[in-house]
Amino acid sequence: MAPSPIPSSCAASPAPSASSKRSTTSPSSIGPTHDARSHHRLAGDAALSALVSSPSPTEAEAVLGVETSLSGRRWLWRAGADALPAHLGLGIAQKLDVPEIVGRLLAIRGIGIEEAVHYLTPTLRALLPNPSTLIDMDHAAARIAEAVKRGETIGIFGDYDVDGACSTALMTELLRGLGCIVFTHIPDRATEGYGPNPTALGALVDKGASLVICVDCGTAAHDTLTCLTGRADAIVLDHHKAEGPPPAVLATVNPNRLDCGSGQGSLCATGIAFLTAVAILRHLRRDEFFGATKPEPDLMALLDLVALATVCDVMPLTGLNRAFVSQGLRIMARGNRPGVAALLEIAGTRGVPTTTSCGFAIGPRINAGGRVADSGLGLRLLLTQDADEGREIAELLDSINRQRQQIELGVMEEAIRLAEAQIAAGHPALLVGGEGWHAGVVGIVAGRLKEKFNRPAAVMAYAEGRATGSARSVPGIDIGAAVLAARQNGLLERGGGHAMAAGFSLPIEGVPALHAFLNDRLVAASMMPAAAALAIEGVMTPRGATVQVAEYLSRLAPFGQGNDEPLLIMSHARVTKVDRIGKDGGTIRAIVEGEGGGRLKTLLFRGKTGPLAEALTDTGRRPLHLAGYLRAEEWNGVVSASFILQDAAWA
């Protein structure tokens, strides 16, 4: 697909990472010096010598014989890791002038030599598609550009999750910067539910909006959007699965429309909004809208919103999404959004923002507002340029998030009990609900059940004869398609989503029929193991786990859905020192040594109780195989290697 003409602000190459600054060459360098080649080759050899790959087991055989780890998981080689032809990884390494371990891991991920350079250094110039390849994009961009030129008032209706808040913020910031008056509405989860509603849409029109843009919603709002007919034009910017023709509005830009062949179905709504912004500026540029008194807005400054939404909506970090997240995190690191900067500080994150910062620090706190309090708080946090207001909203969201956690705990115990009974009864899909359960936490609880039982799970809140539910799924099981099918079969009043998550509502008396339908539709889940196997990519020793190797592994970032961080095993490690750190002592810090020497700091988060915590604190100091992530972390100016523990087994 040919790249589109884009603003110069979007064409900049990414800044070098901390690790690349230390290197004498970069993957894009031509003709590196002999010393640089030698450096890479020796470092790569050292890293590879630490990987235990012989004898090579078959994919079906457990790594190091671990059939059941301390967390009940089987350890298997990641598909392709056990039988990768040596020349593939070596060819990538030589082409890009990187250590062979990086080439090997790229090859395991199915990245060929030609695309590897864009994988390691993703840029919008190379990966951004022509927005016009999305059906209806030209209509949408032309209408919005016309609204800009006329100075129209625009209404934006968003969803109450992170993607909804970010896509609303992106369009609001862009259009206000172009001179439009913009009013926004984020619905209340409890009183309005998901998607557009006539009352809120009418309120936007009453404020003067002649154009209403629905972001991260609207694809399924066929009947609702008719309330705007004759009053205002409507545009939908969405990414949720469609079950039929788009609504009868001016434009529906959604790569998951049944008739859209753009191939951009993995983008979140904020990614779609960014492509729309590119198309809008292209129209305005053609019409000579910009000049000395009207400079073009810097679209690069909006990429932090795209990165945050892409991570929190669990979109695959491949292709264009890698460029969005890689460059967006660099924008976020500038601290230009006071609310986000304050939220990162309150969450206790250190260093530059990462996908982990987005997924575990920022995202849950923004979502908390929409789950149990004021759904508009997240949008306000993202848009404010006042440091005091940003700090105030961040502190409020942090407090609300703690409240959400307490509510979640109250639901979780009963949900687990009901799920265990369904597992025992042989149900492929889990569908649990309860009277009085808070509708704002059912999605989180569904995610917890999915992780605990390795099954697609849906959790419902019962109130006034209705069930409002949220579902989460495991890789390979499309829960969004199942929910759409249930709706098409008359089992749901409302429902929609994507492969990994969905939402729905129905009368309580219809729950048994829905469960039977999901069991039949998702029967393949019954063949899945009780706990998801860990996909291992290499076995190392503490002696080989150096800062240098950790920095090489970081070249594969950003990590997330579709691009997992390399999961490694530290074999035959013995704990020599252990203590508890953190505010509540919930993190275990252990120093481990290998049979052949070497010392490595190991961290176990959420380690107050459980088999992993017991193993690390075992006074017998029996050797362990440790599974986790090797990272180079900086503290007080000193960079050291840390191993973030995910699982363990007795050696």
Side-chain angles (χ1 to χ4, degrees), residues 321-401:
N321 281 339
R322 282 185 62 77
F324 278 154
V325 174
S326 179
Q327 299 201 37
L329 290 175
R330 294 187 179 96
I331 301 299
M332 190 181 296
R334 298 176 184 174
N336 293 337
R337 295 189 190 278
V340 173
L343 208 53
L344 286 168
E345 181 184 345
I346 289 171
T349 59
R350 302 198 310 261
V352 298
T354 64
T355 53
T356 301
S357 307
C358 293
F360 293 93
I362 306 174
R365 288 167 172 81
I366 290 179
N367 271 333
R371 292 186 187 281
V372 299
D374 180 354
S375 59
L377 283 174
L379 176 60
R380 286 175 53 201
L381 177 99
L382 296 173
L383 287 176
T384 184
Q385 285 299 309
D386 183 273
D388 291 336
E389 182 184 27
R391 182 78 188 186
E392 180 182 345
I393 298 173
E395 290 175 346
L396 180 57
L397 284 173
D398 185 61
S399 174
I400 293 170
N401 189 52

Side-chain angles (χ1 to χ4, degrees), residues 579-588 607-608:
D579 61 348
R580 289 186 173 273
I581 58 176
K583 293 181 180 179
D584 57 357
T587 297
I588 294 178
K608 269 201 166 183

Side-chain angles (χ1 to χ4, degrees), residues 287-322:
D287 294 340
E288 299 181 346
F289 178 79
F290 301 112
T293 59
K294 290 183 179 179
E296 286 193 30
D298 179 13
L299 293 191
M300 284 289 287
L302 302 174
L303 283 176
D304 58 340
L305 298 172
V306 185
L308 177 60
T310 299
V311 173
C312 292
D313 227 41
V314 200
M315 296 294 103
L317 296 188
T318 56
L320 177 58
N321 281 339
R322 282 185 62 77

Side-chain angles (χ1 to χ4, degrees), residues 455-474:
R455 290 285 189 281
V459 179
M460 302 167 292
Y462 298 158
E464 300 179 353
R466 293 176 50 77
T468 301
S470 190
R472 299 292 184 269
S473 195
V474 294

Side-chain angles (χ1 to χ4, degrees), residues 192-247:
E192 297 178 78
Y194 170 78
N197 64 81
T199 301
L201 294 175
L204 291 173
V205 175
D206 290 342
K207 292 178 180 178
S210 52
L211 172 63
V212 175
I213 305 172
C214 296
V215 292
D216 198 28
C217 60
T219 296
H222 296 73
D223 296 335
T224 303
L225 291 174
T226 59
C227 73
L228 294 174
T229 303
R231 303 183 65 194
D233 288 331
I235 291 173
V236 171
L237 306 179
D238 198 5
H239 73 128
H240 291 94
K241 285 184 177 294
E243 58 181 316

